[in-house]
Amino acid sequence: MPAADLLSSQGLRLDGRRPNELRRIRCKLGVFTQPDGSAYLEQGNTKVLAAVYGPHQASKSKMSTEAVVVNCQYSMATFSTGERKNRPRGDRKSQEMSMHLRQALTAAIKTEMYPRSQIDIYIEVLQADGGTYCASVNAASLALIDSGIPLRAYVTACSASLGRQSATHEPLVDVSHIEEAADGVCLTVASLPSTGSIALLEMSNRLHMDHFNIVLTRAMQGCRDIEVILDGAVRQHLAEGWTKQDVITI
Amino acid sequence: MWTTKTFLTKTKRGNILKIVREHYLRDDLLCGSAACNTCPHKDDELVLETSPDSPCALFDFPHYLVLDTNVVLHQIDVLEEDALTNVIILQTVLEEVKHQNTAVFQRLLDIISNKKRKFYSFVNEHHKDTYIERSPGEKQNDRNDRSIRKATSWYEYHLSINSLDGKFPKIILVTDDENNRKLAQEDGIICCSIKDYIENVSGFVGLVDKLSKNVMPETCSKDALYPAHLTPSQIHEGIRCGQLYQGTYHASRENFLEGNASVNGFEKSILLQGHIGINRAIDGDIVAIEIFPKEEWRKPSNIVLEDKTEDPENILEEETVLLDAAKPVDNDDEITPTGKVVGIIRRKWRQYCGILMPSKFHGATRHLFTPAEKRIPRVRIETRQSEILASQRILVALDSWPRNSRYPLGHLVRALGPIGDKDAENEVILLEHDVPHARFSEAVLNCLPPNDWTIPEEERQKRVDLRDVCVCSVDPPGCTDIDDALHARRLGSSDGLATYEVGVHIADVTYFVKPDTALDKEAASRSTTVYLVDRRIDMVPELLSSNLCSLRGGEERLAFSCVWEMDENANVLSTKFHKSIIKSKAAMTYEEAQIAIDDSSRKDEIAKSLRVLNKLAKKLKKKRLDSGALLLASPEIRFQVDSETHDPIEVQAKKIVDTNSMVEEFMLLANTSVAQKILEEFPQCAMLRRHPAPPPANFDTFLKAARQQGFEIDVSTNKSFSKSLNEAVIPERPFFNTLLRIMATRCMQQAAYFVSGSLAADHYYHYGLACPIYTHFTSPIRRYADVVVHRLLAASVAGAGPHAALLDARRQAALADTLNYRHRHAQLAGRASVALNTHILFKNRVEIESAVVLAVKRNALQVLIPKYGLEGPLYLPSEKFTYNEEEHVQKCGDVVLKTFDELTVRLSLDSSNLQHRKLVFELVEPHVPGFSYVPDAGNMEVDDVADTAAPSSEKTHKKREIPAAAAPKPSKKRKSRRK
């Protein structure tokens, strides 16, 4: 249900955004030298690092003869939330996140290219301010591109909620922590915007059927907007001389 | 598109937590002024005029106003006048107001949304040029003030750079904060206080009267009458370490120097006495209380005391009367914890109706205002229109209560009309009970179907056609909003018992009132139709309530039907619900229906079906009573109203015939059936009604009184209670049993709406009806709860998906709270209206009537006149009567007065106090020498009374005749049907 007070009477959200505006996204590819691909992404105050290793030979137990095995590990730094976290990884929430990340990323990777191999993706949340899943998917997407693993398309994720301005319902894109905590609904979508397919759809809280479509549409639009930003970042990264690093190592 | 600067805001909570929030600053926010040509305004976004005329004599140039937070908070009444236009409300102000007072915030939003007022809300907090960061060590308030000044000077600059000819509106900052004004002047901002500004506005009479006289209440230590209140942090600290307690203050109706506060953790509420003990708390306030040590505990004084002083300047009078009466007595079980108010946590002030007290000096501007509600103290107001207002009912808002003032300070909001004028008096009743009674807005009326609406074809397809079934309605005479109709017919037999089909058909209001329309919202906020004696305040517009939804005889109407199959012992064999179309064969009154049943020569279908219904109803009732339902009573009267003046001419007790209870039984059955169905379908969000069992302590005085009459009432369960009530009969006093039931009713808790998910299943019980689960389904025209239930039921039977809000348990729970609040106030308003009319009835009349004692107080008896259902105090002088506290009896010589005693009293109206005109009861029988009224001398005195009442009543008489014709036709509905 739409929580009250998410939209002011002037139509601005709590942090001054309009309902259809994303938070500021800043990102950088190739932040580490050790992994095969890496990226850093900020979505407002949510800050995420992603590192990709592989493809390399898979361990015997996991190996598949048909496709590459994608292995994800999501972890949140102990200092990432307002109150200090005790377990950075391995708790229920992190495990669930890892599984969801794997689902979304597997959908983007051309898995059939590397049978009997394995790709490891490590995600570390440095600061959490809502939408950590979205930021993780987006960062991982960049890291995969940085590593040169063939993808079907960009995979991006975005969340959306529902606010109320006087009588009309207005979907809100890219939900921040205060908006999440306001006990409204939060719909998270991971999609491949260029193909229009949805890789993952998750919703917290109950939302009436009547409102579902507008919220989903807004979230999908958010995914497309993010894709444009990521694409710009990749192109800039390449234009800046992706060779720089390689030149040094050669 | 947008600038992306992030800023960090730190907030601290209980344990220090660093919260970092984003704060986006924008460059696309508009200034809203027509004088600006840089902002890309669309036409409808231009709020402020290019060159507004200055209303104020101080400033002879065009200008806009920027208001400070304290101006909005305190002077909202002034702002609501049309005087000020072209005002800029900054977001800083808006947020501070919202944080401090939601009611004022809502009113401010209403002003902003009114296009004519030209109020523009500017989002300065998110504008890239007006946002400022809090500097280290700066207080939040100072930052906000600075932010307001910043925005003001930005506006000035913004408008000046865009003007080509050097003409642009100036900006004036209106603030009452001296410090802020000084700093603003240093920045080169024109500023002034609201008082200076308003006093120089010409053309608006009475605007100055509305200025709030806000004084910092704790700063006036000179000549202080009251001890200072503790600061919020002291209170917080005190409550935390258990020295202070938080409670809601309730002033006593009878004694203006006494009140109590309900505090968690104390079984009895805390007694507060005297000016110092109450220390400026006003009824409803949330206060901090210090509780005295046990030896200083007292008991409620149990005397009736009124503030009689004639405008004393600021002196507190002697309180010895009160304190003497309350001297502690050893081993008294009535001793209650006593304490004093040491601070106010939150004021719960609203606007109060009342009248001005006549002033001693001609032309004085300071006046005392007496509220109609006895629990509110008098208020000191300033007005220059006292001559006009003296004969008017007025509405006053409270501003502050400084330590050196005996009374709180307030200001005039508006005049309601002449005292004694029926419309003005009704307005007072409606305002005092917070009943929304404005005309339906355009938006609401636009939701209505056309006047000549007929049932469309596609509805006929969807609904069950019951037009050929013999359906009829039974209601009180003069009822125009008929929301239920019945039918019954013989089906056949099973197991040797005859079976019947019985249907209850309820007006299908939800067909017309679609969710989330303006009509629906209005109905939800009204929640119920309010019945005054001569006026009905409808929940839905008249077209629906008296025509399209009303199940009138001979017309095709949409209905929601609940149809049972029953055997002749009234056992329900099956139940079904469906929407239908019916055509009522007859709309009857209770008496007509009764005659049709009794007249054995009538063999038509209607009479037959009524007889079946009546027979089954009796069986249903018996079953219900056997399971423990209570039969309670309350004195109900009907006024016969003069058709011309709408003045009451006679009173009679309501007549109850068999058919009343016949309709009632089937409505109860329908309500319970529906409750079961919707709970089954929506376990989390079904709207139900519960009636909690009263706590045993409620019965104490009742049981004592019954014991004095020789009856032992068992109140352990509703079944035993009902049984012992039935047995408590005195053959020679037929009214005694009814009286007992009236008193029992007063021991009961209020029934309330709730949402099923919010309580455990064992709390669903309805004590009065002895019914495990109950709801309201049968009166959707006059109750909003029924509308909700209709929607739930429609969703569960027709498979039409439920509307979104219907499943929102939180919203439903909030709605249930509103419904309860409105419902209670509607009842109180109805009673107040009855009291008003009783007073009018007794204006020139004196009667001697028999009465019964309901309660014995220290200096009075509470008596009830059964004939009129009137209740009031009969004062007993303490020099003649002695009060026995143990037994609750008053003695004088050999005359002993106790509860349930029958008396004869003389009734007359005391109009000496216009505000509280009250009925005076005087004892006639039993005779007490020197006190009782002797009827023989009566004739003279009757004239006397009539004479003294004449001056005021004559005046009001003349005035009444003019507007009375405009009042809508009265329609009394049964209200007692369900508790």
Side-chain angles (χ1 to χ4, degrees):
Chain A
M1 280 302 118
D5 297 343
L6 287 185
L7 269 179
S8 76
S9 49
Q10 294 92 354
L12 292 182
R13 291 156 72 174
L14 296 166
D15 51 10
R17 285 184 287 158
R18 294 199 192 278
N20 59 352
E21 287 172 356
L22 296 168
R23 290 180 284 180
R24 182 184 62 168
I25 295 180
R26 292 201 295 193
C27 50
K28 200 176 169 201
L29 281 80
V31 288
F32 299 128
T33 48
Q34 179 77 8
D36 296 304
S38 64
Y40 169 74
L41 183 127
E42 275 182 23
Q43 211 165 338
N45 276 333
T46 301
K47 295 169 187 172
V48 177
L49 275 173
V52 174
Y53 295 84
H56 54 80
Q57 191 178 12
S59 60
K60 279 240 167 73
S61 57
K62 283 185 192 161
M63 190 190 291
S64 153
T65 49
E66 260 113 61
V68 68
V69 173
V70 177
N71 181 26
C72 276
Q73 191 184 69
Y74 171 92
S75 85
M76 287 175 90
T78 50
F79 50 81
S80 62
T81 49
E83 269 170 272
R84 226 178 147 73
K85 269 181 80 79
N86 292 330
R87 276 180 79 177
R89 65 190 72 86
D91 58 337
R92 275 291 172 108
K93 197 181 149 211
S94 301
Q95 279 179 336
E96 191 192 338
M97 279 293 204
S98 303
M99 276 164 59
H100 288 168
L101 279 169
R102 191 168 82 180
Q103 188 187 332
L105 297 173
T106 316
I109 296 168
K110 291 197 166 181
T111 47
E112 68 280 2
M113 304 267 293
Y114 306 101
R116 298 168 191 277
S117 341
Q118 167 178 350
I119 301 173
D120 296 324
I121 303 170
Y122 295 92
I123 311 277
E124 180 79 25
V125 177
L126 300 179
Q127 191 175 337
D129 186 35
T132 49
Y133 178 79
C134 305
S136 305
V137 170
N138 299 338
S141 187
L142 286 181
L144 283 170
I145 290 167
D146 186 42
S147 71
I149 293 171
L151 302 181
R152 291 174 218 282
Y154 279 98
V155 55
T156 57
C158 186
S159 58
S161 177
L162 191 63
R164 206 166 47 211
Q165 187 181 3
S166 58
T168 55
H169 293 293
E170 183 70 43
L172 312 172
V173 78
D174 196 4
V175 183
S176 73
H177 178 66
I178 20 172
E179 288 169 334
E180 252 176 22
D183 205 17
V185 66
C186 182
L187 179 77
T188 307
V189 181
S191 79
L192 282 60
S194 45
T195 65
S197 51
I198 292 174
L200 179 125
L201 192 62
E202 193 205 11
M203 185 161 68
S204 70
N205 224 326
R206 279 154 56 120
L207 178 69
H208 196 271
M209 276 295 289
D210 297 356
H211 303 317
F212 180 75
N213 259 331
I214 54 168
V215 177
L216 180 62
T217 316
R218 178 69 34 108
M220 291 291 279
Q221 182 59 45
C223 289
R224 280 193 288 277
D225 292 348
I226 290 172
E227 188 195 25
V228 172
I229 294 170
L230 297 192
D231 191 50
V234 170
R235 282 173 199 282
Q236 199 191 355
H237 175 68
L238 296 176
E240 267 172 13
W242 55 282
T243 47
K244 228 188 276 171
Q245 210 178 60
D246 297 336
V247 169
I248 296 164
T249 42
I250 285 168
Chain B
M1 194 163 77
W2 33 270
T3 49
T4 54
K5 285 182 197 160
T6 44
F7 282 83
L8 310 182
T9 326
K10 251 194 262 178
T11 335
K12 280 170 190 165
R13 282 190 198 155
N15 45 357
I16 295 168
L17 208 63
K18 184 175 167 193
I19 293 179
V20 182
R21 282 187 185 164
E22 286 175 281
H23 192 96
Y24 288 88
L25 299 182
R26 319 185 60 98
D27 55 8
D28 61 348
L29 295 171
L30 310 175
C31 70
S33 165
C36 159
N37 45 25
T38 39
C39 295
H41 290 110
K42 288 191 207 87
D43 278 346
D44 59 330
E45 287 165 339
L46 291 171
V47 176
L48 307 163
E49 292 170 299
T50 320
S51 174
D53 294 329
S54 168
C56 177
L58 282 180
F59 308 99
D60 56 352
F61 44 83
H63 59 261
Y64 301 148
L65 296 178
V66 174
L67 304 180
D68 192 6
T69 313
N70 52 25
V71 172
V72 175
L73 277 176
H74 300 132
Q75 309 295 357
I76 187 75
D77 286 326
V78 174
L79 298 182
E80 278 180 342
E81 287 294 295
D82 286 334
L84 303 185
T85 53
N86 290 296
V87 177
I88 298 160
I89 303 289
L90 301 176
Q91 196 202 4
T92 316
V93 174
L94 209 55
E95 263 166 26
E96 276 190 296
V97 170
K98 181 179 177 183
H99 192 65
Q100 296 200 16
N101 191 330
T102 44
V104 172
F105 177 66
Q106 204 53 51
R107 290 163 74 184
L108 183 61
L109 286 187
D110 288 345
I111 300 175
I112 293 173
S113 63
N114 181 352
K115 288 252 159 27
K116 281 183 211 137
R117 295 302 309 278
K118 304 194 186 309
F119 272 53
Y120 183 70
S121 68
F122 177 64
V123 193
N124 65 326
E125 293 287 355
H126 287 289
H127 193 286
K128 69 178 169 44
D129 295 326
T130 55
Y131 175 75
I132 54 164
E133 237 178 307
R134 189 166 151 191
S135 35
E138 192 178 26
K139 281 190 185 141
Q140 185 66 39
N141 267 337
D142 296 339
R143 188 211 85 96
N144 289 346
D145 286 348
R146 189 154 67 86
S147 151
I148 291 169
R149 292 198 299 274
K150 171 90 179 173
T152 314
S153 37
W154 175 83
Y155 248 105
E156 183 94 38
Y157 171 73
H158 178 74
L159 294 179
S160 72
I161 53 160
N162 294 320
S163 84
L164 303 169
D165 48 0
K167 281 184 196 159
F168 54 90
K170 299 262 187 211
I171 311 291
I172 295 173
L173 175 64
V174 181
T175 173
D176 284 346
D177 184 344
E178 237 169 90
N179 195 26
N180 197 4
R181 270 209 299 275
K182 209 179 86 200
L183 289 168
Q185 261 151 2
E186 282 170 17
D187 295 350
I189 299 168
I190 314 170
C191 47
C192 82
S193 73
I194 185 81
K195 192 156 171 279
D196 293 342
Y197 193 91
I198 291 298
E199 281 175 352
N200 290 294
V201 170
S202 51
F204 289 90
V205 182
L207 192 61
V208 180
D209 290 349
K210 299 201 168 187
L211 273 179
S212 158
K213 281 145 278 295
N214 189 56
V215 188
M216 294 300 280
E218 301 313 311
T219 53
C220 313
S221 48
K222 197 169 159 251
D223 306 324
L225 296 171
Y226 296 97
H229 287 151
L230 299 181
T231 62
S233 57
Q234 281 171 315
I235 291 174
H236 188 76
E237 184 62 23
I239 289 175
R240 220 179 41 141
C241 55
Q243 289 165 341
L244 301 180
Y245 296 88
Q246 174 177 345
T248 312
Y249 174 70
H250 303 287
S252 152
R253 260 176 211 284
E254 281 107 22
N255 185 341
F256 79 103
L257 281 179
E258 193 173 279
N260 60 58
S262 36
V263 171
N264 274 349
F266 279 84
E267 198 178 314
K268 285 181 174 178
S269 49
I270 310 298
L271 179 69
L272 304 162
Q273 284 181 321
H275 285 298
I276 307 299
I278 295 170
N279 197 0
R280 292 172 285 158
I282 291 178
D283 190 66
D285 288 349
I286 298 175
V287 294
I289 298 164
E290 182 187 319
I291 295 178
F292 295 141
K294 254 205 170 103
E295 50 277 17
E296 288 176 46
W297 286 10
R298 293 159 178 278
K299 48 187 270 186
S301 59
N302 213 358
I303 58 168
V304 180
L305 201 62
E306 265 178 73
D307 192 358
K308 291 206 181 89
T309 45
E310 286 287 326
D311 198 350
E313 278 308 309
N314 293 319
I315 317 155
L316 301 185
E317 71 284 284
E318 298 287 310
E319 293 172 3
T320 43
V321 199
L322 173 78
L323 298 178
D324 278 352
K327 280 256 164 66
V329 185
D330 291 336
N331 303 329
D332 194 320
D333 59 348
E334 280 181 39
I335 287 223
T336 47
T338 309
K340 65 174 182 185
V341 172
V342 293
I344 307 286
I345 295 169
R346 191 178 307 137
R347 291 287 193 191
K348 281 285 171 67
W349 291 348
R350 57 181 176 92
Q351 296 177 342
Y352 301 98
C353 298
I355 57 169
L356 274 190
M357 274 176 69
S359 173
K360 277 184 286 190
F361 312 105
H362 186 73
T365 56
R366 281 158 61 78
H367 293 272
L368 267 188
F369 160 86
T370 320
E373 169 66 60
K374 283 185 193 168
R375 288 188 284 204
I376 307 298
R378 293 167 182 182
V379 181
R380 168 91 54 204
I381 66 169
E382 268 180 53
T383 174
R384 293 184 188 117
Q385 330 166 52
S386 60
E387 321 261 289
I388 314 165
L389 295 181
S391 62
Q392 302 249 325
R393 294 251 171 215
I394 57 177
L395 192 63
V396 159
L398 292 183
D399 301 330
S400 61
W401 196 339
R403 287 176 62 195
N404 57 3
S405 164
R406 189 195 140 107
Y407 294 117
L409 308 182
H411 65 268
L412 173 73
V413 177
R414 67 189 163 103
L416 302 172
I419 298 173
D421 176 74
K422 207 56 169 299
D423 287 346
E425 301 292 344
N426 275 340
E427 178 94 6
V428 169
I429 291 177
L430 295 175
L431 279 170
E432 280 292 295
H433 296 96
D434 196 11
V435 175
H437 58 283
R439 276 168 194 282
F440 287 101
S441 69
E442 229 18 68
V444 172
L445 296 177
N446 284 340
C447 302
L448 295 177
N451 282 353
D452 54 351
W453 179 88
T454 47
I455 301 170
E457 195 48 44
E458 71 262 26
E459 277 305 309
R460 289 180 196 272
Q461 305 285 321
K462 276 190 265 178
R463 290 169 181 256
V464 179
D465 190 348
L466 296 177
R467 278 174 293 175
D468 47 351
V469 176
C470 176
V471 175
C472 59
S473 66
V474 185
D475 283 282
C479 173
T480 61
D481 47 354
I482 305 170
D483 39 24
D484 45 64
L486 300 153
H487 87 268
R489 60 183 174 191
R490 175 87 192 251
L491 284 181
S493 52
S494 75
D495 300 340
L497 293 170
T499 57
Y500 298 95
E501 180 191 78
V502 180
V504 166
H505 312 277
I506 308 296
D508 192 7
V509 177
T510 49
Y511 175 79
F512 298 102
V513 183
K514 294 279 188 251
D516 269 347
T517 54
L519 175 59
D520 180 52
K521 284 185 187 134
E522 181 66 27
S525 91
R526 294 189 179 216
S527 297
T528 170
T529 295
V530 179
Y531 295 92
L532 303 184
V533 170
D534 54 349
R535 197 174 156 196
R536 187 177 84 193
I537 293 98
D538 279 325
M539 182 180 85
V540 291
E542 184 151 8
L543 175 66
L544 295 183
S545 65
S546 313
N547 185 356
L548 297 183
C549 289
S550 181
L551 304 176
R552 300 199 287 199
E555 297 194 35
E556 289 183 6
R557 288 287 178 254
L558 300 179
F560 207 143
S561 302
C562 173
V563 181
W564 303 278
E565 210 179 305
M566 266 184 199
D567 65 17
E568 61 181 67
N569 291 330
N571 294 313
V572 176
L573 304 174
S574 73
T575 313
K576 59 183 179 196
F577 307 97
H578 54 75
K579 297 220 167 182
S580 59
I581 296 177
I582 61 160
K583 189 169 178 181
S584 170
K585 295 286 171 291
M588 285 177 281
T589 65
Y590 289 120
E591 282 185 54
E592 283 168 13
Q594 191 64 45
I595 291 166
I597 291 172
D598 296 344
D599 181 0
S600 52
S601 66
R602 278 188 66 171
K603 295 265 192 282
D604 53 311
E605 226 183 329
I606 296 176
K608 268 194 221 159
S609 126
L610 282 174
R611 275 176 214 138
V612 171
L613 287 169
N614 200 24
K615 195 178 74 185
L616 291 172
K618 284 192 172 141
K619 287 181 177 147
L620 281 172
K621 184 166 188 179
K622 181 163 181 308
K623 274 194 214 168
R624 208 160 56 78
L625 293 181
D626 286 348
S627 71
L630 295 174
L631 274 183
L632 298 171
S634 56
E636 284 223 33
I637 48 172
R638 257 188 89 91
F639 287 94
Q640 277 186 352
V641 183
D642 187 315
S643 57
E644 283 290 302
T645 61
H646 291 285
D647 276 354
I649 34 186
E650 193 49 72
V651 182
Q652 54 199 184
K654 275 188 189 163
K655 240 197 224 164
I656 307 281
V657 286
D658 256 10
T659 42
N660 283 51
S661 104
M662 172 186 95
V663 176
E664 183 180 344
E665 283 313 317
F666 285 105
M667 295 306 136
L668 289 176
L669 186 61
N671 286 336
T672 24
S673 304
V674 170
Q676 279 156 3
K677 178 76 183 171
I678 59 173
L679 180 67
E680 191 181 296
E681 205 73 25
F682 301 104
Q684 285 305 306
C685 51
M687 178 72 77
L688 301 176
R689 190 166 174 83
R690 64 192 277 260
H691 183 211
N698 278 14
F699 289 112
D700 286 351
T701 20
F702 171 71
L703 292 179
K704 234 181 213 176
R707 214 166 285 143
Q708 281 171 350
Q709 300 291 330
F711 292 106
E712 207 53 57
I713 307 279
D714 179 4
V715 295
S716 50
T717 65
N718 47 4
K719 203 167 175 179
S720 65
F721 188 25
S722 164
K723 186 158 168 278
S724 47
L725 271 179
N726 287 338
E727 286 160 0
V729 181
I730 303 179
E732 60 272 21
R733 286 173 63 186
F735 187 67
F736 175 74
N737 193 265
T738 315
L739 185 62
L740 208 57
R741 292 181 195 272
I742 290 174
M743 303 251 318
T745 312
R746 309 214 165 154
C747 304
M748 294 293 149
Q749 304 272 87
Q750 281 267 343
Y753 297 108
F754 70 102
V755 176
S756 52
S758 65
L759 284 172
D762 49 340
H763 290 297
Y764 293 178
Y765 193 67
H766 197 293
Y767 180 84
L769 296 173
C771 193
I773 166 173
Y774 191 66
T775 191
H776 273 166
F777 167 72
T778 51
S779 304
I781 301 180
R782 61 188 178 92
R783 282 187 312 227
Y784 191 75
D786 304 50
V787 174
V788 176
V789 171
H790 271 238
R791 288 188 186 140
L792 287 167
L793 186 65
S796 58
V797 295
H803 159 63
L806 218 49
L807 297 180
D808 183 351
R810 247 184 331 154
R811 213 170 128 184
Q812 291 293 83
L815 178 65
D817 288 344
T818 331
L819 293 180
N820 288 328
Y821 173 82
R822 294 276 187 228
H823 194 77
R824 196 165 60 246
H825 280 78
Q827 279 181 335
L828 294 176
R831 274 182 227 162
S833 174
V834 169
L836 171 70
N837 280 278
T838 325
H839 288 168
I840 295 174
L841 183 68
F842 277 93
K843 198 151 61 191
N844 293 312
R845 191 192 299 215
V846 171
E847 287 202 11
I848 291 176
E849 279 298 336
S850 66
V852 282
V853 179
L854 280 183
V856 182
K857 293 270 165 79
R858 179 176 289 277
N859 63 348
L861 299 176
Q862 193 75 13
V863 295
L864 172 81
I865 316 274
K867 180 178 168 194
Y868 296 125
L870 272 178
E871 216 187 301
L874 194 165
Y875 291 99
L876 303 175
S878 54
E879 60 270 20
K880 285 208 178 292
F881 284 87
T882 49
Y883 176 56
N884 184 332
E885 289 170 28
E886 288 291 290
E887 306 275 304
H888 283 296
V889 296
Q890 291 273 10
K891 267 189 198 157
C892 170
D894 52 351
V895 179
V896 179
L897 297 173
K898 54 184 190 293
T899 312
F900 292 122
D901 277 358
E902 292 185 15
L903 320 165
T904 312
V905 298
R906 175 179 179 274
L907 269 172
S908 59
L909 187 71
D910 173 14
S911 299
S912 56
N913 180 349
L914 278 179
Q915 178 76 6
H916 299 297
R917 257 186 290 178
K918 56 189 174 195
L919 284 169
V920 178
F921 298 80
E922 288 164 282
L923 189 63
V924 178
E925 204 65 49
H927 186 73
V928 177
F931 172 69
S932 284
Y933 177 78
V934 186
D936 293 344
N939 292 336
M940 261 183 68
E941 203 159 318
V942 171
D943 293 339
D944 245 27
V945 171
D947 277 349
T948 48
S952 65
S953 60
E954 232 173 47
K955 195 164 67 185
T956 52
H957 247 316
K958 279 183 206 143
K959 287 196 175 145
R960 184 171 314 119
E961 279 164 15
I962 309 155
K969 279 267 179 282
S971 151
K972 283 297 278 179
K973 269 287 292 204
R974 49 184 179 268
K975 272 185 282 178
S976 60
R977 192 188 274 172
R978 285 166 294 278
K979 278 132 263 168

